[in-house]
Amino acid sequence: MGYEINEEKVFNSGHAACPGCSEALALRFILNTLGKDAIAVVPPSCIAIISGPQPLSSMSIPVYQTTLEASAASAAGIKRALISKGNNHTNVVAIAGDGGTYDIGFQALSAAAERNEDIIYICLDNEGYMNTGTQKSSATPSMAFTTSTPAGKLSPKKNVPEIMVAHNIPYMATATTGYPDDLARKVKRAMEIKGGLRFINILTPCLAGWGIPDSAGPKTSRLAVQSGMYPLYEVENGESYTLNYGPNGLSVADYVTTQKRYRHLLAEDIELIQAEVDHSWERLQKKF
Amino acid sequence: MKADSNRLLLSGNHAVSHAVKLVKPNVMPVYPITPQTPILELITEFHAAGEMTGEIMTMESEHSAMAAAITASLTGVRVFTATASQGLLLMHEMLHYAAGARAPIVMFNVNRTLGSPWGFWPDQTDSLAQRDTGWIQYYCENGQESHDTTLQAFRVAEQILLPTMVIHEAFYVSHSMEAVEIATQDQVDAYLPEFNPPHRLDPQIGESWGNTVSQIMFQNHRRDMGDAMERVLDVAKKADQELEELVGRGYGIHEQYRCEGAEFIIVTMGSMTGTARDAVDELRSEGLPVGLLKIKLFRPFPVADVREILSGIPKLMVLDRNYAPGTGGILYQELKAALYGLEGAPEIHGYLAGVGGTNISPANIKEMVHSAMGEKPVAHSVWKG
Ligand SMILES: Cc1ncc(C[n+]2csc(CCOP(=O)(O)OP(=O)(O)O)c2C)c(N)n1
Ligand code: SF4
Ligand SMILES: [Mg+2]
């Protein structure tokens, strides 16, 4: 996409992520794009582990660690306090997991979007509750194994990106770590647009939770896009859709067969997921 | 010197809103619940009319209201919110979080019964159930006291860096109209210094909050909170005296009414106090040596003061408009604990009176006193109506 990543060092090495973790990579591009005039809000999640523990911090900006369901409200409280002091420049960013976003924190997120809170909300979506040992969240895709869905999840992934678009927020984007320039550009775009909640959902393959080798994060991330499981797109003001990267001929089988969380799938299961993906892509394509 | 008179006919709730207006909070997250709603409505009216500035946040839940209150406070600004009953319980997780974060939020709570089943009645169980959250708690008996105590609460919270809850009961106080003397802006400006904490969320400073800590760091932090709570007793007494010097009204952190020569003391908290005062007057005129102790500051509990006041008094009667199944009246439990081991400690009758909002009259209280005088107390709370 021709975007040149411009990093200001905010995210530091020596953090506690699993070696090869996609979330650490995502945090690097998010924080180093945001720069030092920012305050982050982080709920319990792998992100909190990567950010802490006291007295250490991997992030050279103030980080407020909140409760699991409160990220959007906590970020909004900071922003309003800054506004009340006449500070309109500091970016306030909530960086939460998919459990903290799609499930327990969704009420606060939806409300902050409705109130046009001037915050950036980023979901690091590793498709499950990884910090507690890989349980299902509503971001877990169909048929994936988690420790709370040992026979595979029986319902599809909740479409939070489209739900956020339906809030008519100024900016919604999907991104993933296999496309770092696209990811960093979207953070930059979110910073440029002010006056409302900007939401970015970032797919971050989890090594342990998905059953992939330490070196496979970026490759898995790219397969998710190329198979059509996770198209990269952005939407401004709830209606102006732009496709960045979509499926390029790879199939769901190409994606799922590299991950242990799908190893129980039969050929017909994969076909069912393929049909689901084809259907979603067909619906999404009409919007570009 | 007393400033010009500024008396208005106000409900207890509106007396609180007037105090909040004078205090000028920067951020006010709000969420409606009966019987608190009039507090927030008058604040938003003041705001819409340009009489108040600051950020009003119309939240989607009390949980989020408290979440936003905490971070706004940690960003270094003055914060107010109000709630009641179910709303307070929904906040429970964040109440602990606020205290741990040492966020000096002031919140008004209007006591109301807790479901299930539903009810709208005065009952102190909602706030008393939050007694272990690390919040300072004040109980008020009328709108004037709620107005003045809200002012004090900001002063104490911001000096101590602990969140503070000011409380009055549903309807008996929240919706009763009384003449209330409103403090003047000059008085409040003189009373409350600007809130400008050195530690706050600020990229220029770079400090963070909430990170995972070790066991001993956690323990030390809890001890610090305990030390802060202990300091509250003196700071709250001083805050009360200082306000009294400005506005001519003081309450103490507890009040003794006609305790000279008393051999029997009634202990109350909140709106029951006014009723008990009437009962004491009547009993005194019958020649009975009865006095009254009102507990206003409930957290921290003024243990040393209570031991001193009650030492040598033969009998107490504690009235609880709250109920914890399995232990009984909460004020009764607290008093028994506070008096443990005291030489010449009084016998204590714990009476559950007015639980669920039932009306307790001066005559009821007199009856209770008469029966308590002729009986040995039992070791648990007794239902009285
Ligand atoms: C109210 C509450 N319930 C449960 C938890 C336990 N908990 C901590 S992290 C977590 C999982 C969060 O999952 P997600 O948001 O997807 O982040 P991830 O761990 O995957 O990074 C849970 C359930 C909690 N901290 N708070
Ligand atoms: S469990 Fe997964 S998401 Fe969490 S740090 Fe490890 S690789 Fe990253
Ligand atoms: Mg997750």
Side-chain angles (χ1 to χ4, degrees), chain B residues 313-326:
Chain B
I313 303 290
K315 252 185 201 281
L316 298 186
M317 178 178 101
V318 186
L319 300 182
D320 269 298
R321 176 170 268 150
N322 66 81
Y323 179 56

Side-chain angles (χ1 to χ4, degrees), chain A residues 36 52-54 56 62-67 69 73-74 76-78 80-81 83-85 90 107-108 111 115 117, chain B residues 26 55-61 63-64 68 70-72 74-75 77 93-94 97 202-203 207-209 211-212 217:
Chain A
K36 293 220 160 96
Q54 189 74 5
L56 305 173
V63 180
Y64 173 74
Q65 293 207 11
T66 189
T67 54
E69 62 297 307
S74 299
I78 295 172
R80 296 295 197 99
I83 292 170
S84 79
K85 293 201 278 192
T90 299
Q107 171 177 317
R115 291 192 310 271
E117 296 289 355
Chain B
N26 293 58
E55 296 288 313
I56 303 264
M57 301 179 75
T58 50
M59 306 307 286
E60 89 294 348
S61 71
H63 192 286
S64 284
I70 295 168
T71 49
L74 293 185
T75 308
V77 302
E93 180 195 27
M94 304 318 284
Y97 221 77
D202 182 340
E207 291 175 342
S208 294
W209 180 253
N211 226 336
T212 308
M217 288 162 97

